[in-house]
């Protein structure tokens, strides 16, 4: 954001191993044990590969993204400024993907919505740390934590260096210790300046189509300290109605007695 002046009954099927190979009570299976024995480097290698698969799949989905921005207060004084933008990610007949703004209502006065904000909403909030992006960041293993009842490996993430005109993620990622996929990110967009700042946010992912962990919710509530003013801003972004793109095809039946259609 830039200041406006600048800015059971259930049936479970259990495969019982032969008696000679039966697992001792309380002993983890070999696959679970193998995942527990992974080094941080091996975890990074595996989740970055899955992030690449996730990102490629995500680029094949249509969905609706709704962003609500509220200016809660300016220098401690409550305000009633807000903006609501509804995006729709669609595919054209030629298969190309584009982001369209369906609706936009804006009465922001304290801050202005910049092109950097657009980049943050489209690419940093739904942050994907793919194998291609890994070399751009420093990752440090912080240990294990629970995130929404999931046991996760936690890494701090920071860009090694920043290219002018590009936005980056800085914060923490939570990697599920079973699927080895990112399920939550907490951080902020960088670089930031005194006149162009972005709040710290949290993005939650959920499993879509039983396979991919896609972003479904982003929330931020922070105070931004500009040159002359302190602005408390709240942002909520939802990602809804995921549908995989299906190309429309038409089959023409050609009679042997008629010329080919032009």
């Amino acid at each position: 954001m830039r200041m406006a002046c600048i800015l059971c009954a259930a049936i479970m099927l259990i495969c019982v191993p032969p008696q000679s190979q039966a697992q001792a009570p309380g002993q983890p299976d070999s696959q679970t044990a193998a995942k527990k024995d992974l080094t941080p480097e091996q975890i990074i290698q595996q989740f970055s590969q899955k992030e690449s698969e996730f990102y490629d799949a995500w680029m094949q989905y249509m969905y609706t993204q709704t962003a609500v921005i509220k200016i809660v207060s300016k220098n401690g004084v409550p305000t009633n400024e807000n903006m609501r933008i509804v995006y729709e990610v669609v595919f054209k007949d030629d298969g190309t993907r584009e982001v369209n703004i369906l609706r936009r209502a804006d009465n922001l006065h304290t801050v202005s919505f910049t092109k950097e904000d657009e980049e943050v909403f489209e690419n940093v909030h739904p942050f994907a740390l793919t194998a291609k992006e890994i070399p751009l960041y420093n990752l440090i293993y912080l240990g294990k934590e629970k995130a929404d009842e999931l046991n996760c490996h936690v890494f701090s993430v920071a860009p090694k260096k920043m290219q002018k005109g590009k936005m980056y993620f800085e914060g923490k990622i939570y990697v599920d210790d079973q699927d080895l996929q990112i399920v939550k990110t907490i951080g902020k967009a960088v670089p930031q300046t005194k006149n162009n700042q972005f709040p710290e946010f949290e993005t939650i992912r959920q499993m879509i189509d039983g396979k991919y962990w896609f972003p479904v919710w982003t929330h931020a509530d922070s105070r931004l300290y500009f040159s002359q003013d302190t602005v408390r801003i709240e942002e909520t972004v939802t990602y809804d109605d995921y549908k995989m793109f299906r190309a429309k095809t038409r089959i023409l039946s050609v009679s042997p007695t008629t010329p080919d259609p032009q």
Side-chain angles (χ1 to χ4, degrees):
M1 288 296 170
R2 175 172 296 166
M3 289 298 296
C5 60
I6 307 174
L7 225 19
C8 102
I11 300 176
M12 299 181 63
L13 300 179
I14 304 176
C15 296
V16 181
Q19 188 65 31
S20 60
Q21 301 177 5
Q23 181 179 308
Q27 184 178 18
D29 60 77
S30 58
Q31 187 175 7
T32 302
K35 288 182 179 179
K36 286 185 177 180
D37 293 338
L38 291 175
T39 66
E41 291 74 19
Q42 290 172 322
I43 296 171
I44 293 172
Q45 181 182 17
Q46 292 200 30
F47 86 66
S48 63
Q49 181 179 349
K50 291 191 176 184
E51 281 288 280
S52 299
E53 296 172 3
F54 142 75
Y55 187 76
D56 290 342
W58 189 54
M59 296 301 289
Q60 299 302 316
Y61 273 77
M62 300 179 289
Y63 58 93
T64 302
Q65 178 175 328
T66 303
V68 178
I69 304 166
K70 296 180 180 179
I71 306 303
V72 180
S73 64
K74 176 182 177 181
N75 298 326
V77 179
T79 70
N80 190 29
E81 302 175 31
N82 60 76
M83 181 170 71
R84 181 185 180 91
I85 309 176
V86 181
Y87 303 89
E88 184 181 44
V89 179
V90 297
F91 289 84
K92 298 194 294 186
D93 290 340
D94 60 2
T96 56
R97 182 179 187 268
E98 63 180 23
V99 179
N100 297 327
I101 295 180
L102 296 182
R103 294 179 295 278
R104 177 169 176 164
D106 182 2
N107 73 335
L108 297 183
H109 308 293
T110 300
V111 299
S112 59
F113 193 72
T114 66
K115 64 178 182 179
E116 290 83 7
D117 288 305
E118 293 180 6
E119 172 74 11
V120 170
F121 274 76
E122 291 181 16
N123 296 309
V124 181
H125 285 167
F127 177 64
L129 193 52
T130 64
K132 181 180 178 181
E133 296 289 319
I134 283 288
L136 304 178
Y137 288 88
N138 289 317
L139 279 78
I140 300 175
Y141 185 66
L142 301 179
K144 296 193 72 173
E145 290 182 30
K146 269 191 176 283
D148 299 325
E149 303 305 319
L150 296 174
N151 294 315
C152 296
H153 300 285
V154 185
F155 291 84
S156 70
V157 179
K160 292 180 179 178
K161 61 180 181 179
M162 290 181 277
Q163 181 180 345
K164 187 177 180 180
K166 182 178 179 180
M167 301 303 300
Y168 297 84
F169 172 81
E170 181 179 288
K172 296 192 297 185
I173 59 172
Y174 292 72
V175 180
D176 175 47
D177 68 353
Q178 295 300 308
D179 292 340
L180 293 178
Q181 294 192 48
I182 296 177
V183 295
K184 183 169 79 169
T185 55
I186 297 178
K188 59 185 179 181
V190 291
Q192 303 204 28
T193 67
K194 280 192 173 182
N195 296 316
N196 204 10
Q197 299 187 31
F198 315 96
E200 181 176 271
F201 65 87
E202 175 182 357
T203 295
I204 300 295
R205 296 188 190 181
Q206 289 182 359
M207 188 172 286
I208 303 297
D209 289 344
K211 188 175 183 180
Y212 301 109
W213 288 89
F214 284 175
V216 294
W217 181 81
T218 296
H219 184 71
D221 188 348
S222 297
R223 284 179 173 83
L224 305 182
Y225 299 93
F226 296 98
S227 299
Q228 297 179 343
D229 299 294
T230 298
V231 178
R232 181 183 167 193
I233 186 168
E234 184 178 354
E235 299 175 348
T236 303
V237 184
T238 56
Y239 312 78
D240 302 299
D241 201 22
Y242 278 107
K243 294 178 182 177
M244 179 173 279
F245 170 69
R246 306 290 183 185
K248 296 180 180 179
T249 58
R250 186 169 57 131
I251 300 176
L252 296 177
S253 177
V254 180
S255 169
T257 59
T258 59
D260 290 344
Q262 295 296 321

